[in-house]
Amino acid sequence: MLSRKGIIPEEYVLTRLAEDPAEPRYRARERRARFVSKKGNCNVAHKNIREQGRFLQDVFTTLVDLKWPHTLLIFTMSFLCSWLLFAMVWWLIAFAHGDLAPSEGTAEPCVTSIHSFSSAFLFSIEVQVTIGFGGRMVTEECPLAILILIVQNIVGLMINAIMLGCIFMKTAQAHRRAETLIFSKHAVIALRHGRLCFMLRVGDLRKSMIISATIHMQVVRKTTSPEGEVVPLHQVDIPMENGVGGNSIFLVAPLIIYHVIDANSPLYDLAPSDLHHHQDLEIIVILEGVVETTGITTQARTSYLADEILWGQRFVPIVAEEDGRYSVDYSKFGNTIKVPTPLCTARQLDEDHSLLEALTLASARGPLRKRSVAMAKAKPKFSISPDSLS
């Protein structure tokens, strides 16, 4: 549509969606293992942890980190075990006081209507969940029974508080909000303001905003120190820029975040050919902010391998003004177009400015040449005969 309207030259239009997973760009080379997956999960397996008891020192966090089937199993077993434990205590009290086989003329029972373990179990459930059917109750005969009644109520309240707190924290975890924070599947490298820039697009699908949103980027690669030490996951922070500058962003509409590849950038010596063969390069992007509705800090992550970086392309505009308001077309969120870009590193571009001047001159001649050809085709042809001159 853009090419038909004349906004973008047709040879620069990329018809393939950047989010289309069915068409990988390079299939011949085997990918390296990701440090962070596209969905933001860390691809790290912890093995041979000997001090397992440290997890029990923070029981609440351990319960929240468990999977839902394990959490529900612990939730159910905690209630069943407490009911059975106090049912045994009530049965022993009734057995010691002689209430299980009452005879004529005996004293008042500690708990009325307890004649077996089943009735003691039902009474334990009634006490802990405060049902109170009215058939069984504690009398003034046994002070120990009154004490057990108080203890069971306190234990039941503690179990309810812990279990409900765990379920609330699991349903309101920060990564749930991150599901609606999206990144472009591919990143691009192109010229912006005369400098090579690494660019990606980020957006929020919800209307509720992310307050104090900040974005960070790291390059993770395997390096070797001058002393011969091999660092398998060397992390280097690099600055990100946006339309207003700095790391803070106002994420109301999708934004293009870019990093200027200068002398301080770890991508300064990155060439287009390295994107096909550089298997140790991974760029991690982290978006962090506070959820407006809940006040919980959330974090969304993604990563880009070398073959997921498109050289010489740029994201198409997706924000347009319609009926007095701005409209976002998310169907074009990852669409890119080809743009003139030098096929050299940023270092070579800084050392030889003639490369940028030649590219600018060539890109300026292209539209002029096409316009002159079109005018020549549209110009009418006249033939003058000698008779007309006479």
Side-chain angles (χ1 to χ4, degrees):
M1 292 180 63
L2 295 177
S3 61
R4 278 179 288 182
K5 292 181 180 180
I7 300 177
I8 298 175
E10 187 174 359
E11 65 268 23
Y12 291 155
V13 175
L14 183 67
T15 57
R16 177 185 55 83
L17 284 178
E19 271 76 13
D20 187 6
E23 298 182 6
R25 190 167 180 80
Y26 309 108
R27 301 180 183 179
R29 182 175 60 84
E30 184 180 356
R31 284 188 172 185
R32 54 157 283 184
R34 287 183 178 272
F35 185 54
V36 176
S37 67
K38 297 296 288 185
K39 294 184 178 181
N41 300 321
C42 296
N43 188 22
V44 179
H46 300 277
K47 297 181 179 180
N48 301 325
I49 300 177
R50 298 181 179 180
E51 299 181 1
Q52 298 286 346
R54 291 181 176 269
F55 294 99
L56 298 178
Q57 296 178 5
D58 189 6
V59 180
F60 185 79
T61 304
T62 303
L63 291 175
V64 174
D65 290 340
L66 291 175
K67 295 182 179 180
W68 271 109
H70 298 160
T71 301
L72 295 177
L73 178 62
I74 294 176
F75 183 84
T76 304
M77 293 303 299
S78 61
F79 279 106
L80 287 177
C81 292
S82 62
W83 293 340
L84 289 172
L85 175 63
F86 283 100
M88 180 62 68
V89 173
W90 290 118
W91 184 84
L92 291 175
I93 291 176
F95 177 78
H97 196 260
D99 299 336
L100 298 180
S103 58
E104 296 182 359
T106 56
E108 186 177 5
C110 295
V111 181
T112 59
S113 302
I114 290 185
H115 307 293
S116 62
F117 183 79
S118 299
S119 57
F121 181 73
L122 290 175
F123 180 70
S124 176
I125 297 176
E126 294 174 10
V127 169
Q128 190 159 327
V129 299
T130 63
I131 295 177
F133 291 117
R136 284 171 284 270
M137 63 179 182
V138 179
T139 63
E140 302 175 356
E141 182 67 21
C142 302
L144 180 60
I146 299 175
L147 178 62
I148 297 301
L149 178 66
I150 296 173
V151 172
Q152 185 173 4
N153 281 319
I154 295 175
V155 171
L157 289 175
M158 292 179 62
I159 294 176
N160 287 335
I162 295 174
M163 291 296 106
L164 291 178
C166 289
I167 292 179
F168 173 77
M169 291 302 298
K170 286 184 70 66
T171 54
Q173 281 183 336
H175 68 271
R176 303 295 181 186
R177 179 61 176 87
E179 295 293 334
T180 51
L181 297 174
I182 57 175
F183 300 88
S184 57
K185 184 179 180 181
H186 292 88
V188 298
I189 294 180
L191 287 174
R192 174 175 281 194
H193 306 299
R195 305 295 299 272
L196 282 176
C197 295
F198 173 88
M199 293 177 283
L200 61 101
R201 177 173 274 167
V202 60
D204 187 4
L205 300 179
R206 289 188 181 272
K207 292 184 178 180
S208 60
M209 294 176 52
I210 299 294
I211 304 173
S212 302
T214 58
I215 194 162
H216 305 278
M217 189 173 71
Q218 289 185 342
V219 173
V220 179
R221 58 175 26 148
K222 183 179 179 180
T223 59
T224 304
S225 66
E227 295 78 14
E229 179 186 3
V230 178
V231 183
L233 296 174
H234 181 61
Q235 303 179 21
V236 180
D237 290 331
I238 57 178
M240 296 292 291
E241 299 291 338
N242 55 73
V244 297
N247 289 342
S248 298
I249 58 176
F250 186 52
L251 197 59
V252 178
L255 297 176
I256 296 178
I257 310 299
Y258 67 96
H259 159 66
V260 178
I261 305 177
D262 53 14
N264 298 322
S265 172
L267 306 178
Y268 195 51
D269 295 318
L270 183 67
S273 58
D274 296 333
L275 300 181
H276 304 278
H277 308 289
H278 205 304
Q279 302 185 21
D280 293 329
L281 176 66
E282 182 175 359
I283 300 176
I284 300 173
V285 183
I286 303 173
L287 173 63
E288 188 173 1
V290 179
V291 182
E292 183 182 25
T293 54
T294 61
I296 299 176
T297 302
T298 186
Q299 187 180 91
R301 299 178 295 267
T302 191
S303 68
Y304 299 96
L305 297 181
D307 59 350
E308 294 173 343
I309 302 174
L310 307 180
W311 191 283
Q313 298 194 24
R314 184 174 59 197
F315 292 105
V316 300
I318 61 174
V319 180
E321 187 176 355
E322 297 179 0
D323 300 330
R325 61 189 304 179
Y326 291 97
S327 174
V328 180
D329 186 4
Y330 280 99
S331 64
K332 304 176 183 178
F333 184 81
N335 285 22
T336 59
I337 57 173
K338 295 179 181 179
V339 293
T341 306
L343 300 177
C344 63
T345 65
R347 181 188 296 274
Q348 295 172 345
L349 189 63
D350 290 343
E351 294 175 352
D352 188 0
H353 295 283
S354 62
L355 296 175
L356 183 59
E357 294 175 359
L359 182 67
T360 304
L361 184 61
S363 60
R365 286 181 177 178
L368 292 176
R369 185 178 301 173
K370 291 181 181 180
R371 187 179 301 177
S372 62
V373 172
M375 292 179 62
K377 291 181 178 180
K379 186 177 179 180
K381 297 181 179 179
F382 299 96
S383 61
I384 303 175
S385 62
D387 297 337
S388 62
L389 293 176
S390 61

